[in-house]
Amino acid sequence: MKRRTAVLLSGRGSNFRSLLAATQAPGFPAEIVLVLSNVPDAGGLVHAVANGIATAAIDHRAYRGNRAAHEAALIAAMEAAGVELVCLAGYMRKLTPLLVGRYAGRMLNIHPSLLPSFPGLHTHERALTAGVKLHGCTVHLVTDGLDEGPIVAQAAVPVLPGDTPDTLAARVLVQEHLIYPAALAQLALGGSGVTPPPGAALHNPLPVSGPLP
Ligand code: GRF
């Protein structure tokens, strides 16, 4: 039985696309049954509709700063759809303990840095400014702290001479699209190991996936 999964996004949704493609493979242990966005014209919603996935746009602006009320609407939509697992994929809202608590241990986020380095925004610019030689991405379980929570998967890429934030972001994004489906599979299987897909973490001497707590 595939685990019923929601994706929350605010933008173009390239990670959602990679998750959708992976979940549609026979034998993948999760399926995407709902895509939610706080941005009504998010590109990810368009892709979901085009692929016959149920969507809901729940615009945070209608809630006038009441984050908990907005999250209650998200939760209601997910519960109506029988959602078990949640993937944040470019969802650009800070979460309150309401949503975090409801899906504790069942909600993943992808972040474009090797956490715990560079939590927050503008990670690629900050990596270049810091002069790091390795950068990358992280999938982690969501907890109350921003971009904290147990790490499920990581992939590293080199920072190359002449890199700009855009070129670095593009190199990282390739890895995001590989490790997020692997991490979702791992979560859906209840923490059992997942073989990283070919091409993931080419520059990482460590396995991309670790055991869940
Ligand atoms: C990705 O870089 C992800 O790591 C970050 O937001 C971006 C979303 O991109 N959380 P996309 O909408 O999935 O293309």
Side-chain angles (χ1 to χ4, degrees):
M1 200 63 175
K2 292 190 173 212
R3 308 288 299 275
R4 296 176 68 80
T5 303
V7 175
L8 273 59
L9 54 79
S10 302
R12 64 188 169 183
S14 73
N15 275 289
F16 158 58
R17 288 173 184 240
S18 79
L19 287 167
L20 181 62
T23 55
Q24 288 175 333
F28 195 92
E31 63 177 329
I32 297 173
V33 297
L34 181 63
V35 175
L36 295 176
S37 183
N38 63 311
V39 177
D41 63 353
L45 283 180
V46 175
H47 186 71
V49 170
N51 284 272
I53 308 294
T55 63
I58 302 178
D59 192 337
H60 63 279
R61 292 171 298 189
Y63 294 83
R64 300 179 178 278
N66 187 340
R67 288 179 183 272
H70 179 244
E71 290 184 352
L74 296 175
I75 291 168
M78 289 192 280
E79 294 197 339
V83 165
E84 306 169 75
L85 307 178
V86 180
C87 291
L88 306 181
Y91 182 67
M92 302 302 288
R93 300 285 298 166
K94 284 185 185 164
L95 306 188
T96 82
L98 177 67
L99 187 59
V100 173
R102 186 64 61 104
Y103 294 98
R106 299 187 287 142
M107 180 158 53
L108 296 170
N109 180 46
I110 187 155
H111 182 76
S113 78
L114 290 172
L115 291 171
S117 294
F118 312 122
L121 299 175
H122 309 301
T123 56
H124 309 304
E125 290 90 330
R126 290 158 60 204
L128 290 171
T129 300
V132 296
K133 300 301 182 193
L134 283 174
H135 186 44
C137 50
T138 302
V139 178
H140 63 97
L141 286 167
V142 177
T143 56
D144 283 328
L146 179 68
D147 299 326
E148 296 179 2
I151 291 170
V152 178
Q154 285 186 311
V157 302
V159 179
L160 300 178
D163 261 340
T164 65
D166 285 348
T167 61
L168 188 52
R171 193 174 306 121
V172 170
L173 194 63
V174 170
Q175 298 298 322
E176 292 186 33
H177 295 164
L178 295 171
I179 67 168
Y180 210 174
L184 174 59
Q186 183 175 341
L187 182 66
L189 291 169
S192 65
V194 169
T195 303
L202 285 175
H203 310 283
N204 190 344
L206 301 172
V208 295
S209 299
L212 289 172

